Amino acid sequence: MLWTANTIMRKFSSSSAYYQNKLKLALIGQSLFGQEVYTNLRKQGHKVVGVFTVPDKDGKADPLAVVAEKDGTPVFKFPRWRVKGKPIPEVVEAYKAVGAELNVMPFCSQFIPMNVIDFPKHGSIIYHPSILPRHRGASAINWTLIEGDKKAGFSIFWADDGLDTGPILLQKECPVEPNDTVDTLYNRFLFPEGIKAMVEAVQLIADGKAPKIPQSEEGASYEGIQKKSNAKVNMAQPAEAIHNWIRGHDKVPGAWVVIDGKPVTLYSSSMLSGSVPAGQPIEVEGASQPGLIAKSGLVLFGSDGKPLQVKNLQFEDGKMIPASKYFSSEETTSLDLTDDEKKMAEEIRAIWKGILSNVPAIDETTDFFKSGAASMDVVRLVEEVKQKCGGVQLQNEDVYMATTFQSFIQMFIRRLRGEDQEEELVIDYATKDVNNMTVKMPYQCFINGKFEDAEDGKMYNTVNPTDGSVICKVSYASVADVDRAVSAAKEAFYNGPWGKMNPRDRGRLLYRLADLMEEHQEELATIEAIDSGAVYTLALKTHVGMSIQTFRYFAGWCDKIQGSTIPINQARPNRNLTFTKKEPLGVCAIVIPWNYPLMMLAWKSAACLAAGNTLVLKPAQVTPLTALKFAELTVKAGIPKGVINIVPGSGGLVGQRMSDHPDIRKLGFTGSTPIGKQIMKSCAVSNLKKVSLELGGKSPLIIFSDCDMDKAVRMGMSSVYFNKGENCIAAGRLFVEESIHDEYIRRVVEEIKNMKIGDPLDRSTDHGPQNHKAHLDKLVEYCEIGVKEGATLVYGGRQVDRPGFFMEPTVFTDVEDHMFIAKEESFGPVMVVSKFKDGDVDGVLSRANDTEFGLASGVFTRDINKAMYVSERLEAGTVFVNTYNKTDVAAPFGGFKQSGFGKDLGEEALHEYLRTKAVTVEY
């Protein structure tokens, strides 16, 4: 049904009939939702001939009445439409006089007589916040959560004489997230999508295309409005059922339990994953075991022994406190305000007075809610204070926590001073005394701003490749952990401060993060060395150094992402303005490899964050530790919770779930070509998510006889042996001109003999261990194949005889084009050399391009014309001329052919994490 409705809209939206078929409407209802429906219907060209809403309360008009009166639309404020079940004649006559063709009822709390419902030509349509026939009645959203429904949604139906039983016009649905509340469901989906759907429904009726699908009674349910008296929590249930009951009653009427013999109302419930925090026991009536007052809140246990957590408590006198403060006897002390703070307090007093117009004067004891304020007034208070006092982050919950004027001012001033910060991040470190320092390494999943164990408690060993010893155990994330991480990232994007943040403020946080990485660069480089085998000096300069540069570079881009204006043909006699906007995609997934653990994280996540997205990142299973240390630094930098989530684990489990997840809008991957193909397939099948892939390579390096030999030897060795050959752009095959071939090989071997192989933390080490044992074994096998196929092994080819995963730097010559080592990437310290005839430029180009890969390439020659000729014809995303490995944060990086598509670094990388929206305005 929904598909049909959307198809009809697309079919008619571009035709002239769409603009001609307009209706005269009566809007019957109230609230901000009604106001938005009214405004959008008028924008679409429909004529609202009358608004029928509730009377003013305490001198304040309903939001629908306010906007309608401002527009000059007739507004009627009837206290009731019936008396003793019978329509009031004068009310009905006043309604009929406006001549409506359709009644639109977006949110209506009054009983409307059937002779009003049926009067218009097209009858009446009503918005209901559930997927009918389920949850008929006035508390549909609450019961969606209480019943633990996996899907929520709304229905627009034709009114009849039953209770929410009329034929369906259209329905839309969304998933219920594990920790959704009435507010989050309403704000994320039911409110914005409901407004669009009401407008869509009216147009379908205007076009004569609106369906009337009878409701089935199968699965139908009706639940009434919950009262405080029957909202007590049954603690003899599983934890999830308790959590659903609490969140379904949050904020009205409030689920409650008896604690220490007194009723206490519970707010802001969430399922608790990972280990249970330490806390002080507290007796909860009817619970299978005592609760815990922990730093993070009140921990309760279901009959199944699983924990849930409640953030806030409210007592019978109306006082609300953070659950973590239950045992605190400290009274709120008065603050001494500065002159500027006093001035600000008086401005806030004026805002309170504007909202509580029925209160003669606002003094320190004035209670916001006892003075008649409702939930819409909470929104108004928060938004007005934020507008007046920019820079202070307030949420609706803050008003519920500080209901008197004095407590509100004290909360606000503490927030302004930075004294009202969240609890300090709790981290269980694995520590190691190494490299003349004690490194502190987080080892748990990082989800929604907290380090916590994997949901199933699984862990695995991460190994030091220098000696094969275990560094520590690391959480092994499950599919459920990925789902929680995506949910946190989605919440942070749509409802958190990150999505509302000014781009320049976002850039400031990324600059701060780069500064913290620089402050911790020695620790990060040490962790990188012991976890990946990177030589410490290289880790400090490149792995960590370039990561810092990358975040600084993209921090500068945050406030420079721009669209454009486009001249188009005018729709005479009117005029048009068309412009484009660059928007973030939403939740992005990033899967990074093990060769540059921190740098690959930075290359992808810095651009992703600068564009305004949130992310879930999977580090390589064998090198998770710098990513988790990075997560710690993001909290210190002030990155809001949920923006960055790190889930270590296997590619087959965690990576696959990311590829399949319907709420992820983009996946960036660096790794092998076969895995990249599988990811691309999964991303297409799941939800057609955007993909960028940096995959395998077999990068050719052509060395001509007219090169600078010293530089060609030095750079040629770097092209192969840099970072132990674990380098995506490593020169997988060298082509050396025949006349200099033997001299070149001789000099390379001499230099190899001078390389020091050893502990990566030794400052004099040139060549460290390969990343992990399986990779070392693969390299040894690779060399054995080369020998069997007839290539000449000039040097190396074996594992070094010492503890750890060390491979000798290796040189093969006489490599023919058909050989395995000529075609396949080693991803290790193996130089594969072929000679070419003197002067045969086109011949060597043909051989260099005879590969399915195209990540990088290089050429050494003193002849600039030859260099330009070759660089234009090499089929690779990067061409180095008389240098190699020279990447920079400002230059785009990415491959051709089966080396992938999409770019990291530079301005182009931003476009991988943005979408372009075209907007055309007629005036």
Side-chain angles (χ1 to χ4, degrees):
M1 175 177 60
L2 175 58
W3 179 88
T4 304
N6 284 336
T7 304
I8 292 167
M9 284 298 290
R10 286 194 293 270
K11 180 177 178 182
F12 283 84
S13 63
S14 60
S15 68
S16 59
Y18 177 81
Y19 296 98
Q20 293 170 356
N21 297 335
K22 300 300 172 186
L23 296 175
K24 292 188 289 184
L25 309 174
L27 248 74
I28 305 176
Q30 63 205 76
S31 79
L32 186 61
F33 184 79
Q35 179 194 78
E36 290 295 317
V37 171
Y38 164 87
T39 301
N40 281 273
L41 285 170
R42 279 173 50 88
K43 284 180 181 178
Q44 291 296 315
H46 297 287
K47 182 175 178 61
V48 179
V49 293
V51 166
F52 298 84
T53 187
V54 294
D56 295 355
K57 181 180 179 182
D58 296 325
K60 293 182 292 183
D62 182 82
L64 174 57
V66 171
V67 69
E69 288 172 340
K70 186 177 180 181
D71 290 335
T73 301
V75 176
F76 303 84
K77 302 177 182 179
F78 300 132
R80 62 188 64 82
W81 292 70
R82 305 184 307 177
V83 174
K84 296 182 179 180
K86 294 184 178 181
I88 301 173
E90 55 268 32
V91 171
V92 173
E93 289 306 310
Y95 159 76
K96 289 182 177 181
V98 302
E101 298 172 314
L102 173 70
N103 292 333
V104 179
M105 303 167 70
F107 175 75
C108 182
S109 62
Q110 297 176 313
F111 288 99
I112 310 299
M114 285 307 299
N115 59 341
V116 171
I117 293 291
D118 295 334
F119 178 79
K121 171 184 176 182
H122 296 292
S124 302
I125 59 170
I126 303 177
Y127 170 90
H128 184 78
S130 80
I131 306 170
L132 293 172
R134 190 161 172 79
H135 304 311
R136 294 167 176 165
S139 299
I141 312 176
N142 304 73
W143 283 100
T144 296
L145 296 174
I146 292 169
E147 294 290 328
D149 292 1
K150 299 304 180 185
K151 291 182 179 180
F154 58 80
S155 306
I156 297 174
F157 67 96
W158 300 91
D160 65 4
D161 58 359
L163 185 60
D164 303 332
T165 57
I168 301 296
L169 196 162
L170 64 80
Q171 293 179 315
K172 294 190 178 182
E173 63 182 38
C174 69
V176 177
E177 303 294 348
N179 292 318
D180 260 332
T181 64
V182 172
D183 284 349
T184 61
L185 264 180
Y186 186 71
N187 293 331
R188 184 179 79 244
F189 184 80
L190 300 175
F191 180 85
E193 295 303 318
I195 293 164
K196 296 176 189 175
M198 287 296 282
V199 176
E200 179 181 349
V202 170
Q203 191 59 53
L204 287 171
I205 295 169
D207 293 337
K209 302 294 183 180
K212 289 187 177 182
I213 302 173
Q215 287 192 41
S216 169
E217 287 305 305
E218 183 178 348
S221 64
Y222 172 81
E223 300 93 1
I225 298 174
Q226 282 291 84
K227 297 180 180 179
K228 191 76 174 182
S229 57
N230 57 13
K232 185 178 181 181
V233 180
N234 175 12
M235 294 300 296
Q237 301 181 87
E240 187 174 358
I242 295 173
H243 164 60
N244 289 336
W245 183 266
I246 296 171
R247 63 176 177 154
H249 289 82
D250 193 338
K251 303 270 188 300
V252 178
W256 56 278
V257 293
V258 175
I259 298 177
D260 289 339
K262 299 176 182 177
V264 178
T265 305
L266 313 176
Y267 295 108
S268 300
S269 169
S270 60
M271 291 300 294
L272 187 62
S273 58
S275 57
V276 176
Q280 189 171 345
I282 187 170
E283 289 299 323
V284 180
E285 186 180 281
S288 58
Q289 63 186 93
L292 295 171
I293 298 295
K295 287 183 178 180
S296 52
L298 167 62
V299 179
L300 299 172
F301 297 90
S303 59
D304 54 0
K306 292 183 178 179
L308 64 144
Q309 184 170 273
V310 173
K311 188 176 179 182
N312 300 317
L313 306 176
Q314 188 176 40
F315 301 104
E316 285 185 287
D317 62 0
K319 181 181 179 182
M320 186 180 283
I321 64 166
S324 59
K325 305 294 184 185
Y326 182 84
F327 288 120
S328 174
S329 60
E330 297 178 9
E331 294 295 329
T332 303
T333 55
S334 297
L335 297 174
D336 292 325
L337 305 187
T338 66
D339 289 342
D340 286 342
E341 289 169 346
K342 289 177 181 177
K343 181 179 178 182
M344 202 169 290
E346 290 308 309
E347 291 175 346
I348 294 173
R349 191 190 301 271
I351 293 172
W352 275 55
K353 178 60 181 172
I355 296 171
L356 304 176
S357 55
N358 56 310
V359 177
I362 305 296
D363 60 30
E364 283 16 69
T365 62
T366 300
D367 187 286
F368 194 67
F369 296 103
K370 291 178 181 178
S371 299
S375 58
M376 276 306 304
D377 298 310
V378 173
V379 176
R380 177 180 167 186
L381 174 61
V382 168
E383 293 305 316
E384 284 198 39
V385 171
K386 284 163 65 177
Q387 185 179 41
K388 195 76 174 178
C389 312
V392 178
Q393 291 294 325
L394 289 180
Q395 298 179 352
N396 295 354
E397 190 176 89
D398 295 322
V399 183
Y400 292 103
M401 298 290 288
T403 61
T404 66
F405 182 73
Q406 181 181 37
S407 63
F408 184 86
I409 289 297
Q410 297 209 7
M411 175 276 297
F412 175 83
I413 296 299
R414 286 195 170 93
R415 186 75 52 85
L416 188 68
R417 294 176 180 178
E419 297 172 2
D420 189 19
Q421 301 298 318
E422 290 188 5
E423 296 283 347
E424 185 178 350
L425 179 66
V426 177
I427 307 176
D428 289 332
Y429 291 109
T431 60
K432 197 170 186 68
D433 293 323
V434 62
N435 202 23
N436 299 316
M437 67 179 77
T438 300
V439 293
K440 299 166 68 177
M441 300 168 287
Y443 59 86
Q444 298 165 294
C445 300
F446 182 72
I447 299 173
N448 203 26
K450 291 187 270 187
F451 286 101
E452 53 195 31
D453 294 337
E455 186 169 278
D456 57 13
K458 288 186 178 179
M459 305 188 81
Y460 70 97
N461 294 331
T462 186
V463 174
N464 184 342
T466 303
D467 57 11
S469 63
V470 173
I471 302 170
C472 65
K473 288 186 176 295
V474 177
S475 290
Y476 189 80
S478 66
V479 167
D481 296 311
V482 176
D483 289 347
R484 289 191 298 111
V486 173
S487 178
K490 185 177 179 181
E491 177 68 16
F493 181 79
Y494 288 104
N495 299 316
W498 186 254
K500 304 176 182 70
M501 192 176 292
N502 290 325
R504 200 161 296 164
D505 293 334
R506 189 164 66 242
R508 180 178 53 80
L509 291 180
L510 295 185
Y511 275 123
R512 173 62 179 147
L513 178 57
D515 291 344
L516 284 165
M517 292 170 71
E518 190 168 54
E519 289 176 25
H520 290 262
Q521 61 183 331
E522 288 86 1
E523 186 178 20
L524 287 166
T526 300
I527 297 171
E528 197 90 329
I530 64 174
D531 202 25
S532 76
V535 172
Y536 175 76
T537 50
L538 177 67
L540 196 61
K541 178 182 182 297
T542 301
H543 289 235
V544 178
M546 193 173 188
S547 300
I548 296 166
Q549 292 176 27
T550 302
F551 272 98
R552 287 198 174 126
Y553 173 80
F554 283 108
W557 267 109
C558 289
D559 61 353
K560 300 171 186 68
I561 298 170
Q562 301 178 26
S564 58
T565 56
I566 303 170
I568 66 169
N569 290 340
Q570 308 293 342
R572 298 176 181 175
N574 297 317
R575 298 180 63 80
N576 296 100
L577 168 66
T578 295
F579 59 92
T580 60
K581 297 172 63 181
K582 297 290 186 180
E583 298 179 340
L585 301 172
V587 180
C588 298
I590 293 173
V591 181
I592 57 175
W594 42 258
N595 58 327
Y596 294 103
L598 186 64
M599 194 171 79
M600 291 297 99
L601 176 153
W603 280 23
K604 285 178 163 45
S605 63
C608 174
L609 295 168
N613 301 285
T614 58
L615 65 88
V616 179
L617 183 141
K618 190 197 89 66
Q621 185 173 343
V622 291
T623 54
L625 295 180
T626 42
L628 294 170
K629 187 67 180 180
F630 167 83
E632 176 190 347
L633 299 182
T634 67
V635 177
K636 292 181 178 180
I639 306 289
K641 68 178 183 179
V643 173
I644 296 170
N645 304 272
I646 312 287
V647 279
S650 73
L653 197 67
V654 174
Q656 186 62 50
R657 179 55 181 157
M658 288 178 169
S659 301
D660 295 336
H661 204 292
D663 289 333
I664 291 174
R665 296 299 170 191
K666 158 72 194 282
L667 192 147
F669 171 74
T670 296
S672 72
T673 297
I675 299 299
K677 290 179 178 180
Q678 178 60 42
I679 283 174
M680 192 171 176
K681 180 179 178 181
S682 297
C683 288
V685 170
S686 58
N687 63 339
L688 210 63
K689 57 176 64 71
K690 189 175 182 180
V691 179
S692 59
L693 304 171
E694 193 244 285
L695 307 175
K698 189 66 176 173
S699 302
L701 173 59
I702 304 173
I703 301 174
F704 288 100
S705 59
D706 61 354
C707 69
D708 178 334
M709 180 64 84
D710 290 341
K711 190 173 187 180
V713 169
R714 186 175 70 254
M715 291 289 184
M717 291 184 66
S718 174
S719 75
V720 176
Y721 303 125
F722 189 82
N723 199 47
K724 314 158 297 175
E726 296 169 353
N727 187 21
C728 51
I729 58 172
R733 194 173 180 195
L734 275 66
F735 295 92
V736 182
E737 201 159 10
E738 193 169 27
S739 59
I740 64 166
H741 175 274
D742 293 349
E743 172 66 10
Y744 186 85
I745 297 300
R746 183 186 64 79
R747 292 183 59 172
V748 165
V749 171
E750 285 180 359
E751 291 298 325
I752 290 175
K753 291 176 180 177
N754 293 326
M755 290 172 65
K756 180 178 178 180
I757 301 172
D759 184 350
L761 293 174
D762 184 334
R763 305 309 193 260
S764 63
T765 293
D766 298 304
H767 188 77
Q770 304 310 134
N771 187 275
H772 52 282
K773 181 66 164 60
H775 183 54
L776 173 64
D777 293 342
K778 178 185 171 185
L779 288 173
V780 172
E781 181 184 8
Y782 183 91
C783 293
E784 289 172 351
I785 293 172
V787 171
K788 286 178 182 177
E789 288 192 329
T792 301
L793 178 61
V794 177
Y795 193 91
R798 297 179 301 273
Q799 179 177 355
V800 178
D801 186 17
R802 60 167 291 162
F805 311 141
F806 292 85
M807 179 74 183
E808 291 178 336
T810 299
V811 179
F812 277 101
T813 61
D814 301 318
V815 178
E816 298 179 13
D817 294 351
H818 68 273
M819 291 180 178
F820 176 82
I821 63 173
K823 294 180 174 296
E824 296 298 324
E825 180 181 29
S826 71
F827 212 64
V830 182
M831 183 179 283
V832 176
V833 185
S834 301
K835 65 177 70 171
F836 66 96
K837 292 181 180 180
D838 292 350
D840 188 11
V841 177
D842 289 327
V844 74
L845 271 171
S846 177
R847 295 171 70 190
N849 287 329
D850 185 20
T851 172
E852 275 300 301
F853 301 109
L855 189 56
S857 60
V859 55
F860 279 85
T861 177
R862 285 191 172 97
D863 184 340
I864 187 62
N865 292 324
K866 187 189 296 181
M868 295 304 296
Y869 180 87
V870 171
S871 66
E872 287 175 4
R873 286 159 178 78
L874 283 169
E875 297 171 359
T878 297
V879 180
F880 297 109
V881 178
N882 294 328
T883 187
Y884 210 89
N885 289 323
K886 178 54 183 171
T887 54
D888 187 88
V889 295
F893 178 91
F896 296 166
K897 299 188 284 189
Q898 291 198 45
S899 288
F901 51 84
K903 297 295 183 183
D904 291 327
L905 304 179
E907 181 181 0
E908 286 195 41
L910 286 168
H911 301 307
E912 300 295 332
Y913 297 94
L914 292 166
R915 63 187 183 190
T916 302
K917 177 182 286 182
V919 180
T920 297
V921 181
E922 187 170 290
Y923 60 97

